[in-house]
Amino acid sequence: MNIRTLIIAVMGTMLPSMAAAETLPVIQNVNAYESLSLNGEWNYIVDVQEEGYYDYRMKPTPWGFFRNAKPQKPEDLIEYDFDKSPTMQIPGDWNTQDERLFFYEGTVWFMRKWKVESGKWKENTEGTQEVGKRTLLYFGAVNYDCRVWVNGQEAGHHIGGFTPFNFDVTDMLKEGENTVIVKVDNKRHAEDVPTLSFDWWNYGGITRDVKLVKVAPVYLEDYSLTLEKVKGEKGKKVREICFSAKLNKAEAGHKVVVFIPELKLEKTFTTDAEGKIQNSMFSVQSKKLSLWSPENPKLYKIHLSVDSETITDEIGFRTIETRDKQILLNGQPIFLKGISIHDEKANGGGRANSTEDAHQLLSWAKELGCNFVRLAHYPHNEYMVREAERMGILVWSEVPVYWTIAWTNPATFENAQQQLTEMIHRDHNRANIIIWSIANETPHSAERDNFLGRLAQYARSLDDTRLISMAMEVTGASNYVNRLNDNMNQYVDVVSFNQYIGWYRDVNDAPKMTWEIPYNKPVIVSEFGGGAKYGYHGEKNQRWTEEFQENLYRENTAMLDKIDGLAGTTPWILKDFRSPRRVLAGIQDYYNMKGLVSDKGEKKKAFFVLQQWYETK
Ligand code: GCB
C-alpha cells in the first residue's frame, strides 16, 4: 500500500480515540477551513488527586468537574468554581505559566466559554450557520492524556502529547453560552509512548491551537498530491502527479476538482462508492514544473473543491529516494547538513507554537548552513514544519518511541501506531519532510524487533513515497571499532545512529575510531555532541567549557568524514533545552547544555566549527 491507498486504509483502520461522541480522523489541512479560535485565556484548576474525575471510592464520575460548571444543586459549587479560578494562556504549557507547576506532573482542568449568538455560529463576526454544516472541535496537541466535555457532554478522549485530533461537536452546541472543559493529565507511565524516562521536559497542558472548525456535510477528510519518481529525472517531457482523496462519507458520485492556477491545470475526479479517489494520475509539462528543493522551495497554490466547497493548500513537488549509499532529491545526490531540534522556544519560554518561534529556531539552523533538521523526538508543531518548508529546509520527523518502551504490551503498540498515523496524516503533503523516523536509541531484543518491525511496515504502508529511518546505536566490536549491527536494518531505507565519542567516551579516541556499517544504504549520524555552558571558558579538556565542546566538534567532524556512505548528520543539538535529567547546579540547572546556541540564542564556539564543516559539504 502507498500514500494513495493509504488515505483510504488509514482512515478506515484508524484506531478510535475511545470517544463517547463521534471521533473522526483528524482533518487534513485544518487551517484551510473557516474556524473560531478558542485560543486565549482559559480558567484552570490544579487537581493533584483527580477529585474532579474520581469519587472518594476512586470510581470515575461521569461528568467530572462539569457538574460544577453547570451546577444542578447548590452544593455542586462548594468545592470548585472554574469562574473563580485563575487563567492561563492557551496554547501553552503550564510549567512556564505558573511557578507552582514548574515540576508538576498530574491533572489540570481547563475551562473556556464562548458565545453563539442567535442564528450565528461564531462570535464577533457575521455569518450564519448554514443548514447541515458540521462543527469540529480541533486540538493541535494536548500533553498527554485528555478528556473533553462540551456543554456537559463527553466529546472524546485522546492520548499522545504531540499530534492533532478532532471531535464532531455539532450536536452539543447551543445558542448562547457554550462551555468546553478539558481534563489534561501528563503523568508518565511505563506503558506510555514515550515511557517513564526521557531527556526532555514533560511540558503539560493544551500546548497547541484549539479551534472550532466549520465543515460542509461532505468534506475532504484527506488528500495527497505526490510527484511520481522517474528513472533519470532530466529530459522527461512530462511528469506524473498522483492524486488521491477521501471524503468523510463513503458516497459515490461527488465531484472533486484540483485546480493549480500557476500550471493552468484543472482536473475533475469523481468519488467511488467508498468516497475515495484512488491513485489518479495526471501529467504536467516538465519544463513548466518547478521542483521543490532547498535552493528553490517552490510551493504551488492548489485549490481543492468538493461539490461547491473549496479549500486551498500550498504544495511543493519533489522526489526522494536512495540509490546504494546515496540519498537522491529530485534524482540528484544530496548531503543532509542537519541539526537536531526540540520543540521548545528560546528564552525559557516552554513549548513552541507559532511561526515566529519556528522562524527563530530555523534561522539559527540556516545560519549554521543547514539544509536539513531532525525534529526530535516527537512530532513538532505544524508551524515548524510549514515554516521549514517555506525556508527550504528538509525535515526528519519522529514519533516518541524512545528508549525502553513496553515492547510486549499491545496497547503500547497501538498507541505508537496511532501517533504515527496522526503525524503522517497531518504532514504527508509537506514536500520538505523526507524521513519518517519510528524510534530513538532502543535497546536490542526480540520483542523490540517485533514491535519496531511492525511499526516500520505500518509506516511504509501509510506512505511509501518517503524514506523510513530510526536512530540506532553502534556497538563496540572492539575498543576502536564501531559496528552497526541492528536487525532493524532490513526495514529502514537510511541507517542512522547516535554516538557520543568525546562526551560519554574520551574525545582522544576519535582519531582511532573505525566504522563498520555492513549495509548498502545511506548513513546519517543522527546525534553527536557534548555539553558546554555559554560564556564558560577554559582548556579544551575542561568539561562544560565552550573550548571543550569546540574541540569535540573538531574531532568528531574529522572522524565522521571517514564513514563510508555518510549522507548526512544531525548533531545534538541546536539549542540548550530543559530536561529533568540535567541536575548539575550552577552548570545545567535542569538544562541539557549540548546546544550550539544557549537558550537565549548566544552562539557557542562549536557553532562555528560545524558551520565551517558544512561549508565544505
Ligand atoms: C541521546 C538521546 C537524546 C539525549 C542525548 C543526551 O542519545 O537520543 O535524547 O538528549 O542523548 O544529551 O544525552
PDB file of all heavy atoms in Angstrom, residues 2 11 32 136 215 229 255 308 359 407 426 428 515 519 560 562 590:
ATOM      1  N   ASN A   2       0.445   2.299  -0.623  1.00  0.00           N
ATOM      2  CA  ASN A   2       1.239   3.525  -0.661  1.00  0.00           C
ATOM      3  C   ASN A   2       0.385   4.686  -0.186  1.00  0.00           C
ATOM      4  O   ASN A   2      -0.736   4.498   0.246  1.00  0.00           O
ATOM      5  CB  ASN A   2       1.733   3.776  -2.076  1.00  0.00           C
ATOM      6  CG  ASN A   2       0.585   3.782  -3.042  1.00  0.00           C
ATOM      7  OD1 ASN A   2      -0.517   4.165  -2.679  1.00  0.00           O
ATOM      8  ND2 ASN A   2       0.817   3.341  -4.249  1.00  0.00           N
ATOM      9  N   MET A  11      -7.526   5.814   7.102  1.00  0.00           N
ATOM     10  CA  MET A  11      -8.707   6.431   7.671  1.00  0.00           C
ATOM     11  C   MET A  11      -9.726   5.374   8.041  1.00  0.00           C
ATOM     12  O   MET A  11     -10.426   5.490   9.015  1.00  0.00           O
ATOM     13  CB  MET A  11      -9.295   7.435   6.683  1.00  0.00           C
ATOM     14  CG  MET A  11      -8.307   8.511   6.335  1.00  0.00           C
ATOM     15  SD  MET A  11      -7.828   9.453   7.784  1.00  0.00           S
ATOM     16  CE  MET A  11      -6.277   8.821   8.193  1.00  0.00           C
ATOM     17  N   ALA A  32      -7.193  25.523   6.501  1.00  0.00           N
ATOM     18  CA  ALA A  32      -7.856  25.988   5.283  1.00  0.00           C
ATOM     19  C   ALA A  32      -9.338  26.277   5.522  1.00  0.00           C
ATOM     20  O   ALA A  32     -10.006  26.864   4.671  1.00  0.00           O
ATOM     21  CB  ALA A  32      -7.705  24.929   4.196  1.00  0.00           C
ATOM     22  N   LEU A 136     -16.363  20.876  14.007  1.00  0.00           N
ATOM     23  CA  LEU A 136     -15.376  20.004  14.644  1.00  0.00           C
ATOM     24  C   LEU A 136     -14.646  20.802  15.713  1.00  0.00           C
ATOM     25  O   LEU A 136     -14.320  21.973  15.499  1.00  0.00           O
ATOM     26  CB  LEU A 136     -14.333  19.508  13.624  1.00  0.00           C
ATOM     27  CG  LEU A 136     -14.842  18.886  12.326  1.00  0.00           C
ATOM     28  CD1 LEU A 136     -13.668  18.377  11.488  1.00  0.00           C
ATOM     29  CD2 LEU A 136     -15.819  17.749  12.607  1.00  0.00           C
ATOM     30  N   VAL A 215     -17.195  22.675   8.787  1.00  0.00           N
ATOM     31  CA  VAL A 215     -17.031  21.880   7.559  1.00  0.00           C
ATOM     32  C   VAL A 215     -18.397  21.606   6.947  1.00  0.00           C
ATOM     33  O   VAL A 215     -19.412  21.580   7.644  1.00  0.00           O
ATOM     34  CB  VAL A 215     -16.321  20.528   7.841  1.00  0.00           C
ATOM     35  CG1 VAL A 215     -14.875  20.746   8.233  1.00  0.00           C
ATOM     36  CG2 VAL A 215     -17.053  19.711   8.891  1.00  0.00           C
ATOM     37  N   LYS A 229       8.189   9.276  -9.083  1.00  0.00           N
ATOM     38  CA  LYS A 229       9.623   9.155  -9.409  1.00  0.00           C
ATOM     39  C   LYS A 229       9.767   8.647 -10.843  1.00  0.00           C
ATOM     40  O   LYS A 229       8.966   7.833 -11.284  1.00  0.00           O
ATOM     41  CB  LYS A 229      10.283   8.149  -8.477  1.00  0.00           C
ATOM     42  CG  LYS A 229      10.402   8.637  -7.066  1.00  0.00           C
ATOM     43  CD  LYS A 229      10.884   7.529  -6.152  1.00  0.00           C
ATOM     44  CE  LYS A 229      10.257   7.696  -4.798  1.00  0.00           C
ATOM     45  NZ  LYS A 229       9.926   6.570  -4.053  1.00  0.00           N
ATOM     46  N   LYS A 255     -18.063  15.248  -7.063  1.00  0.00           N
ATOM     47  CA  LYS A 255     -17.013  15.789  -7.947  1.00  0.00           C
ATOM     48  C   LYS A 255     -15.932  16.447  -7.092  1.00  0.00           C
ATOM     49  O   LYS A 255     -16.221  17.307  -6.253  1.00  0.00           O
ATOM     50  CB  LYS A 255     -17.600  16.859  -8.868  1.00  0.00           C
ATOM     51  CG  LYS A 255     -18.624  16.326  -9.851  1.00  0.00           C
ATOM     52  CD  LYS A 255     -17.951  15.973 -11.179  1.00  0.00           C
ATOM     53  CE  LYS A 255     -18.888  15.282 -12.146  1.00  0.00           C
ATOM     54  NZ  LYS A 255     -19.141  13.861 -11.886  1.00  0.00           N
ATOM     55  N   SER A 308     -19.499  22.184  -4.041  1.00  0.00           N
ATOM     56  CA  SER A 308     -19.292  23.631  -4.224  1.00  0.00           C
ATOM     57  C   SER A 308     -18.337  24.237  -3.190  1.00  0.00           C
ATOM     58  O   SER A 308     -18.129  25.436  -3.168  1.00  0.00           O
ATOM     59  CB  SER A 308     -20.651  24.341  -4.148  1.00  0.00           C
ATOM     60  OG  SER A 308     -21.224  24.030  -2.909  1.00  0.00           O
ATOM     61  N   HIS A 359      10.473  30.290  13.152  1.00  0.00           N
ATOM     62  CA  HIS A 359      11.399  31.072  12.328  1.00  0.00           C
ATOM     63  C   HIS A 359      12.707  31.337  13.078  1.00  0.00           C
ATOM     64  O   HIS A 359      13.790  31.257  12.513  1.00  0.00           O
ATOM     65  CB  HIS A 359      10.737  32.375  11.889  1.00  0.00           C
ATOM     66  CG  HIS A 359      11.515  33.050  10.812  1.00  0.00           C
ATOM     67  ND1 HIS A 359      11.446  32.641   9.493  1.00  0.00           N
ATOM     68  CD2 HIS A 359      12.424  34.043  10.854  1.00  0.00           C
ATOM     69  CE1 HIS A 359      12.282  33.366   8.775  1.00  0.00           C
ATOM     70  NE2 HIS A 359      12.882  34.234   9.572  1.00  0.00           N
ATOM     71  N   TRP A 407       7.644  -3.097  25.063  1.00  0.00           N
ATOM     72  CA  TRP A 407       7.570  -3.729  23.740  1.00  0.00           C
ATOM     73  C   TRP A 407       6.492  -4.783  23.611  1.00  0.00           C
ATOM     74  O   TRP A 407       5.966  -5.003  22.516  1.00  0.00           O
ATOM     75  CB  TRP A 407       8.925  -4.359  23.388  1.00  0.00           C
ATOM     76  CG  TRP A 407      10.071  -3.396  23.444  1.00  0.00           C
ATOM     77  CD1 TRP A 407      11.135  -3.441  24.293  1.00  0.00           C
ATOM     78  CD2 TRP A 407      10.270  -2.227  22.630  1.00  0.00           C
ATOM     79  NE1 TRP A 407      11.984  -2.374  24.058  1.00  0.00           N
ATOM     80  CE2 TRP A 407      11.474  -1.619  23.046  1.00  0.00           C
ATOM     81  CE3 TRP A 407       9.554  -1.632  21.594  1.00  0.00           C
ATOM     82  CZ2 TRP A 407      11.980  -0.452  22.480  1.00  0.00           C
ATOM     83  CZ3 TRP A 407      10.054  -0.472  21.022  1.00  0.00           C
ATOM     84  CH2 TRP A 407      11.235   0.108  21.459  1.00  0.00           C
ATOM     85  N   ARG A 426      -1.171  14.330   9.317  1.00  0.00           N
ATOM     86  CA  ARG A 426      -1.109  15.800   9.346  1.00  0.00           C
ATOM     87  C   ARG A 426      -0.158  16.339   8.277  1.00  0.00           C
ATOM     88  O   ARG A 426      -0.427  17.357   7.654  1.00  0.00           O
ATOM     89  CB  ARG A 426      -0.656  16.284  10.734  1.00  0.00           C
ATOM     90  CG  ARG A 426      -0.807  17.787  10.909  1.00  0.00           C
ATOM     91  CD  ARG A 426      -0.084  18.294  12.153  1.00  0.00           C
ATOM     92  NE  ARG A 426       1.359  18.297  11.982  1.00  0.00           N
ATOM     93  CZ  ARG A 426       2.238  18.641  12.929  1.00  0.00           C
ATOM     94  NH1 ARG A 426       1.809  19.004  14.123  1.00  0.00           N
ATOM     95  NH2 ARG A 426       3.533  18.617  12.694  1.00  0.00           N
ATOM     96  N   HIS A 428       1.631  14.655   5.517  1.00  0.00           N
ATOM     97  CA  HIS A 428       2.121  13.937   4.338  1.00  0.00           C
ATOM     98  C   HIS A 428       2.046  14.755   3.051  1.00  0.00           C
ATOM     99  O   HIS A 428       2.511  14.289   2.014  1.00  0.00           O
ATOM    100  CB  HIS A 428       1.453  12.562   4.197  1.00  0.00           C
ATOM    101  CG  HIS A 428      -0.001  12.614   3.845  1.00  0.00           C
ATOM    102  ND1 HIS A 428      -0.463  12.962   2.610  1.00  0.00           N
ATOM    103  CD2 HIS A 428      -1.099  12.364   4.597  1.00  0.00           C
ATOM    104  CE1 HIS A 428      -1.783  12.915   2.600  1.00  0.00           C
ATOM    105  NE2 HIS A 428      -2.189  12.564   3.801  1.00  0.00           N
ATOM    106  N   TRP A 515      34.800   2.401  11.493  1.00  0.00           N
ATOM    107  CA  TRP A 515      33.354   2.184  11.429  1.00  0.00           C
ATOM    108  C   TRP A 515      33.032   1.016  10.521  1.00  0.00           C
ATOM    109  O   TRP A 515      33.531   0.942   9.404  1.00  0.00           O
ATOM    110  CB  TRP A 515      32.668   3.469  10.914  1.00  0.00           C
ATOM    111  CG  TRP A 515      32.976   4.607  11.809  1.00  0.00           C
ATOM    112  CD1 TRP A 515      34.075   5.423  11.741  1.00  0.00           C
ATOM    113  CD2 TRP A 515      32.247   5.015  12.956  1.00  0.00           C
ATOM    114  NE1 TRP A 515      34.058   6.311  12.780  1.00  0.00           N
ATOM    115  CE2 TRP A 515      32.942   6.097  13.546  1.00  0.00           C
ATOM    116  CE3 TRP A 515      31.058   4.568  13.554  1.00  0.00           C
ATOM    117  CZ2 TRP A 515      32.498   6.733  14.701  1.00  0.00           C
ATOM    118  CZ3 TRP A 515      30.605   5.211  14.691  1.00  0.00           C
ATOM    119  CH2 TRP A 515      31.325   6.276  15.258  1.00  0.00           C
ATOM    120  N   TYR A 519      25.875  -2.331   5.566  1.00  0.00           N
ATOM    121  CA  TYR A 519      24.635  -2.274   4.784  1.00  0.00           C
ATOM    122  C   TYR A 519      24.830  -1.316   3.612  1.00  0.00           C
ATOM    123  O   TYR A 519      25.411  -0.246   3.785  1.00  0.00           O
ATOM    124  CB  TYR A 519      23.465  -1.782   5.652  1.00  0.00           C
ATOM    125  CG  TYR A 519      23.370  -2.496   6.978  1.00  0.00           C
ATOM    126  CD1 TYR A 519      23.450  -1.789   8.177  1.00  0.00           C
ATOM    127  CD2 TYR A 519      23.197  -3.878   7.030  1.00  0.00           C
ATOM    128  CE1 TYR A 519      23.368  -2.436   9.397  1.00  0.00           C
ATOM    129  CE2 TYR A 519      23.126  -4.535   8.262  1.00  0.00           C
ATOM    130  CZ  TYR A 519      23.208  -3.819   9.435  1.00  0.00           C
ATOM    131  OH  TYR A 519      23.132  -4.455  10.639  1.00  0.00           O
ATOM    132  N   LEU A 560      33.935  11.718  11.432  1.00  0.00           N
ATOM    133  CA  LEU A 560      32.764  11.332  10.629  1.00  0.00           C
ATOM    134  C   LEU A 560      33.078  11.334   9.142  1.00  0.00           C
ATOM    135  O   LEU A 560      32.496  10.566   8.368  1.00  0.00           O
ATOM    136  CB  LEU A 560      31.587  12.273  10.914  1.00  0.00           C
ATOM    137  CG  LEU A 560      31.085  12.290  12.360  1.00  0.00           C
ATOM    138  CD1 LEU A 560      29.888  13.205  12.504  1.00  0.00           C
ATOM    139  CD2 LEU A 560      30.720  10.888  12.831  1.00  0.00           C
ATOM    140  N   LYS A 562      35.316  10.035   7.791  1.00  0.00           N
ATOM    141  CA  LYS A 562      35.879   8.733   7.377  1.00  0.00           C
ATOM    142  C   LYS A 562      34.796   7.660   7.239  1.00  0.00           C
ATOM    143  O   LYS A 562      35.092   6.526   6.869  1.00  0.00           O
ATOM    144  CB  LYS A 562      36.912   8.283   8.419  1.00  0.00           C
ATOM    145  CG  LYS A 562      38.166   9.148   8.385  1.00  0.00           C
ATOM    146  CD  LYS A 562      39.244   8.520   9.252  1.00  0.00           C
ATOM    147  CE  LYS A 562      39.750   9.521  10.267  1.00  0.00           C
ATOM    148  NZ  LYS A 562      40.169   8.940  11.518  1.00  0.00           N
ATOM    149  N   TYR A 590      18.896  22.073  35.246  1.00  0.00           N
ATOM    150  CA  TYR A 590      17.762  21.498  34.518  1.00  0.00           C
ATOM    151  C   TYR A 590      17.732  21.882  33.040  1.00  0.00           C
ATOM    152  O   TYR A 590      16.677  21.949  32.427  1.00  0.00           O
ATOM    153  CB  TYR A 590      16.429  21.804  35.211  1.00  0.00           C
ATOM    154  CG  TYR A 590      16.373  21.175  36.577  1.00  0.00           C
ATOM    155  CD1 TYR A 590      16.545  21.949  37.728  1.00  0.00           C
ATOM    156  CD2 TYR A 590      16.213  19.801  36.717  1.00  0.00           C
ATOM    157  CE1 TYR A 590      16.548  21.360  38.987  1.00  0.00           C
ATOM    158  CE2 TYR A 590      16.217  19.209  37.975  1.00  0.00           C
ATOM    159  CZ  TYR A 590      16.388  19.984  39.102  1.00  0.00           C
ATOM    160  OH  TYR A 590      16.396  19.402  40.339  1.00  0.00           O
TER     161      TYR A 590
END
